[in-house]
Amino acid sequence: MTRTVTVGLDGSPESRAAAEWAAREAQLRGLPLKIVHVFEPLPAHVAQAPLLGAETVQQWSEEVPREAAAGLRLRHPGVEVLTDRLSGNPAQALTEAADVAELMVLGSRGFGAVGGFAVGSVSLAVLAHAERPVVLVRAGEQAADEHKTDPVGIPSAATPFRPVVLGLDTASPDETLLEFAFDSAVRRNASLRVVHAWPEPPTAFYRFYGDAELYGTLVHEQAKVLTEVLRSWRQKFPGVEVIESSRCGSAAQVLVDAARESSLVVVGRRMRTSPLGAHIGHVAHAVLHHVVAPVAVVPHD
């Protein structure tokens, strides 16, 4: 069965922005785009209301994906657009759809000019439980936002893509995460900025004699580790310009700072559960709340 780039659509502006991004991604990957709309049956007492009857809601539910598909086919003529209407709990239905997709794309309201995503409960549940990559796209996302400005400083989709940014833990570099990031850079003909953060030396708080020398040694050692981790991947993807960035500090803050001028930010999520259920990790949380570019959360062992 051919995998698809799948997008969850509920008719909101953020889901429509996600659909446009998903169509562009489907074209980059040479895959069909599938629009998934989840119809959540109304409670009996609501369905009987004269203005919100079950028939009215069902009709609206059928029109949303159909009209969206028609528009996407016009704007992206090279992309095959499919639709699928599901019924039930949105989080569960979208998670199941994500697990059979190449990647799932969801929309999110933005926090405004300061950036970041307002991640709803449905998106958070899909991010935390899906076994395939999930991309979150902010409301208002435009194709030009992912590209460098033209020579006079005007955003344009005709210019090269901004870099793809990958947050990487060199202590446990996962191949699934690296493959996704390098492949995304290849498809965009973009550079890949690989960001690794390491903690401040224990003595730094006390400013002991010799701290500067210790810091210098750590800078060299951490940079060397990152280079070694990426060596085989540079050979596998020789056409990708790789920018290595090893910094001392909070992993979340270092990655957020590095992602300010990016076309896509890629972070990992370990597929594990805790007594409180699945979670996406504090670094992914920070990126989602402070980065305006689309964010791909890639699950891995």
Side-chain angles (χ1 to χ4, degrees), residues 244-257:
E244 299 178 14
S245 180
S246 179
R247 296 286 184 271
C248 174
S250 157
Q253 187 60 57
V254 168
L255 183 54
V256 167
D257 290 343

Side-chain angles (χ1 to χ4, degrees), residues 118-207:
V119 186
S121 58
V122 172
S123 295
L124 192 59
V126 178
L127 284 168
H129 292 92
E131 297 180 357
R132 299 289 301 171
V134 178
V135 179
L136 213 61
V137 177
R138 268 176 106 243
E141 166 74 12
Q142 301 288 328
D145 297 336
E146 301 163 34
H147 294 256
K148 298 177 181 178
T149 56
D150 69 11
V152 295
I154 298 175
S156 170
T159 59
F161 276 95
R162 297 178 187 271
V164 173
V165 174
L166 166 64
L168 185 66
D169 179 3
T170 57
S172 54
D174 183 79
E175 292 192 356
T176 302
L177 180 64
L178 283 156
E179 182 81 35
F180 184 94
F182 271 89
D183 180 71
S184 296
V186 167
R187 295 182 186 281
R188 289 163 172 75
N189 193 24
S191 60
L192 175 63
R193 179 174 293 130
V194 184
V195 180
H196 163 60
W198 44 277
E200 196 172 37
T203 63
F205 178 78
Y206 300 101
R207 303 301 176 204

Side-chain angles (χ1 to χ4, degrees), residues 116-117 119 124 127-128 134 136 167 177 251-253 255-256 265-270 279-291 293 295-300:
F117 298 82
V119 186
L124 192 59
L127 284 168
V134 178
L136 213 61
L177 180 64
Q253 187 60 57
L255 183 54
V256 167
V265 181
V266 183
V267 294
R269 174 184 69 80
R270 290 192 180 280
H279 58 90
I280 65 172
H282 76 281
V283 174
H285 261 294
V287 171
L288 289 171
H289 283 83
H290 296 285
V291 172
V295 176
V297 180
V298 181
H300 59 83

Side-chain angles (χ1 to χ4, degrees), residues 26-43:
Q27 189 160 32
L28 288 174
R29 292 173 177 266
L31 293 175
L33 169 66
K34 179 186 284 187
I35 299 172
V36 173
H37 177 76
V38 182
F39 171 65
E40 192 170 13
L42 292 172

Side-chain angles (χ1 to χ4, degrees), residues 1 8 10 12 16 18 20-21 36 42 85 95 98 111 126 133 144 175 182 206-207 236 239 258 278-279 291 296:
M1 181 178 65
D10 61 8
S12 65
R16 294 186 182 278
E20 293 293 337
W21 187 94
V36 173
L42 292 172
R85 183 171 171 273
T95 299
F111 283 137
V126 178
E175 292 192 356
F182 271 89
Y206 300 101
R207 303 301 176 204
K236 186 175 180 180
H279 58 90
V291 172

